[in-house]
Each structure stands twice: as C-alpha cells, then as structure tokens.
Amino acid sequence: MNAISVTPTQVLAAVGVLLVLVLVWRAGSRRAKAAANAARTSVRLMSLGGRVVVNAVLIVIVQWVVVTHGGNGWLLFAVLGVPALLASYTLTKALTVTTYEPRGRGGDRK
C-alpha cells in the first residue's frame, strides 16, 4: 500500500480553506438574521400603520355622522374635541425631548 504523504503547505492550505468556509457561513447567517429582523420590523410598522388608518377612519366616520345630522353643541364638542385632545397628547408626548440624568454615587440626590 502507498502511504499518503501530505506536505505542511497542503495542511496549511486545507486549514485556510476551512477557515474561509466557516467565515463565509457565519457572514451568510448574520446576513440572513439581519434580513429576518428587517422583515419583522417592516411588518410591525405596516401593522401599526394599518391600525392608525383604521382608527382614523372610524373617528372621521363618527364625526361626519354627527356634523351632517346636526348634533347639539355638547355632542359636537365631544365628537370633535376628544379626538383633538388625544391627538395633541400623543403629539406632545412624541415630540417632547427627555434627558437621562444619572444619580450620583450611592444614590445621592443633588
């Protein structure tokens, strides 16, 4: 039988090829994970957008019915005022800048 002879250069080349294969595999799995996260994020955004549109349509329909059928003053105020208050609260909360001020050592307040 013939003995298999492998040179150190061939061993080093085989280790290099294995290392490249592992790196390519890891990069592919990271890319796939990033794509899956991006897809989930876009689905969440579309779901949120759909809910916002449906709620806006419902509010507009109720307002349209009350305005066209001549609701009294208080009903008209409630139908137009309550959604305006909710929208202003949401916008104020979203546009308010808050800062994080860590406490001193040991929980001391200054």
Side-chain angles (χ1 to χ4, degrees):
M1 297 188 96
N2 292 339
I4 299 176
S5 62
V6 179
T7 64
T9 306
Q10 290 173 332
V11 170
L12 196 57
V15 169
V17 166
L18 287 175
L19 182 64
V20 167
L21 286 174
V22 167
L23 291 176
V24 167
W25 176 71
R26 287 190 62 189
S29 68
R30 285 183 185 158
R31 217 174 288 127
K33 192 180 294 184
N37 285 339
R40 263 186 256 131
T41 301
S42 65
V43 167
R44 277 189 231 132
L45 182 62
M46 293 304 291
S47 175
L48 176 64
R51 285 182 278 172
V52 167
V53 168
V54 167
N55 285 330
V57 167
L58 290 174
I59 290 171
V60 167
I61 288 172
V62 170
Q63 288 176 338
W64 180 77
V65 167
V66 170
V67 169
T68 57
H69 292 303
N72 65 12
W74 285 108
L75 183 61
L76 190 61
F77 175 75
V79 167
L80 297 176
V82 171
L85 285 173
L86 294 175
S88 67
Y89 172 78
T90 304
L91 283 174
T92 303
K93 191 166 181 147
L95 297 176
T96 301
V97 177
T98 58
T99 60
Y100 172 71
E101 297 177 11
R103 293 185 180 176
R105 290 180 84 153
D108 294 335
R109 290 188 174 179
K110 293 182 180 180

